[in-house]
Amino acid sequence: MIRVTVFGENHHEKTHKVVSDIYPKGMHTCIADALNTDKEIKATTVTQDQHEHGLTEKKLAETDVLTWWGHAIHDKVENAVVDRVQKRVLEGMGLIVLHSGHHAKIFRRLLGTSCDLNWREAGEKERLWICNPGHPIVQGIDKPYFELQNEEMYGEPFGIPTPDEQIFISWFQGGEVFRSGATWKRGNGKIFYFRPGHETYPTYHDKTVQLVIRNGVKWAKPEGKYPLGCPHVPADKAPEKIVVTGGSVH
Ligand code: ZN
């Protein structure tokens, strides 16, 4: 069973009627419900308005994969929580960053770049081309691309380090393109950025988007644990017998 924590900013849902009409129980609940249709996944939600944003030491210790949607109040996320999430990713927890999470503190921290991009809200068509049909994240999509009829445009240049793997490239009706699905590894943790999901469109109700997030969770699940820290290994604990010939200040 893969334990997924779905983090939602839960801000637009409380301030914008269009958003609460599309997502009456919040975007995070819609995403978690879609994940829980898979018997291998157990998804629960936390929201930014909770104490420690719901991301306590205990909750993160019990999380295999964290999904992150934020937009308007990234700057209100506590730095201590960002430190904690970063540590868990380096240990091996998977992280799926959704849509406007491109500017989340945790994403910029882990990637180390601006993550800036161009944008436009015109409700235009987005066509997401699959770059590698053999990748686990796109299994079950039986076409070379899929489309969303109304989305926000994100355009290049996207201020990210070169991805380890490019999963999707989007084309928008206005002509721009964007690296809308990409993966990286940091420490032992796998990171997947997946672009669609503007709050005023019903993107997280889309069956293909839901499938991609489920596939992403399965791809990002931990594989072993990366030890953090720099332990000293004394000569008599080395795997082979050695004669100490030099001094050390330690
Ligand atoms: Zn947006």
Side-chain angles (χ1 to χ4, degrees):
M1 190 67 94
I2 306 170
R3 301 164 298 176
V4 181
T5 299
V6 176
F7 169 87
E9 187 180 74
N10 197 28
H11 174 75
H12 297 294
E13 292 95 325
K14 294 187 289 192
T15 58
H16 202 326
K17 186 171 180 328
V18 172
V19 181
S20 57
D21 283 349
I22 300 171
Y23 299 107
K25 293 187 283 181
M27 300 169 79
H28 47 283
T29 306
C30 181
I31 293 165
D33 287 349
L35 288 170
N36 281 326
T37 61
D38 192 305
K39 288 195 215 37
E40 291 177 40
I41 296 172
K42 174 85 184 83
T44 55
T45 64
V46 296
T47 53
Q48 189 165 330
D49 45 17
Q50 290 177 259
H51 178 62
E52 298 182 38
H53 317 313
L55 297 171
T56 60
E57 293 274 6
K58 182 172 186 297
K59 183 66 176 170
L60 283 172
E62 295 167 351
T63 299
D64 296 315
V65 179
L66 175 66
T67 74
W68 194 285
W69 195 103
H71 177 225
I73 48 173
H74 291 310
D75 60 322
K76 302 283 196 298
V77 173
E78 294 169 27
N79 290 331
V81 173
V82 178
D83 294 344
R84 194 181 289 163
V85 173
Q86 180 188 21
K87 178 169 174 286
R88 282 287 295 127
V89 171
L90 296 178
E91 282 177 349
M93 181 182 76
L95 177 67
I96 299 181
V97 175
L98 299 168
H99 188 58
S100 39
H102 69 91
H103 260 184
K105 285 183 181 178
I106 183 59
F107 192 56
R108 297 171 104 173
R109 168 85 66 88
L110 284 161
L111 295 194
T113 53
S114 71
C115 303
D116 289 344
L117 47 78
N118 301 315
W119 60 280
R120 170 177 65 236
E121 277 185 58
E124 65 204 277
K125 183 195 284 187
E126 175 176 9
R127 179 176 296 151
L128 293 100
W129 287 93
I130 295 168
C131 300
N132 175 3
H135 198 280
I137 290 177
V138 299
Q139 294 316 298
I141 308 174
D142 55 3
K143 292 190 301 183
Y145 59 81
F146 73 99
E147 292 180 341
L148 299 164
Q149 292 310 309
N150 298 286
E151 253 297 349
E152 180 182 14
M153 185 282 291
Y154 278 4
E156 296 283 343
F158 187 14
I160 49 173
T162 302
D164 294 344
E165 297 177 296
Q166 193 67 54
I167 311 298
F168 294 105
I169 292 177
S170 283
W171 167 88
F172 293 88
Q173 209 165 353
E176 286 90 347
V177 297
F178 189 75
R179 288 172 286 174
S180 54
T183 72
W184 299 264
K185 201 156 181 216
R186 290 291 183 270
N188 217 33
K190 293 176 172 179
I191 302 168
F192 172 43
Y193 172 76
F194 186 44
R195 193 216 78 87
H198 187 66
E199 65 274 7
T200 58
Y201 307 119
T203 299
Y204 294 117
H205 292 289
D206 182 273
K207 296 296 176 209
T208 307
V209 168
Q210 294 179 355
L211 172 67
V212 169
I213 299 172
R214 280 196 299 272
N215 286 347
V217 160
K218 292 179 184 177
W219 169 84
K221 72 177 186 217
E223 293 172 325
K225 195 174 178 200
Y226 201 82
L228 301 179
C230 302
H232 175 240
V233 184
D236 61 357
K237 294 285 190 299
E240 300 287 342
K241 185 170 168 50
I242 50 173
V243 177
V244 178
T245 56
S248 168
V249 294
H250 297 294

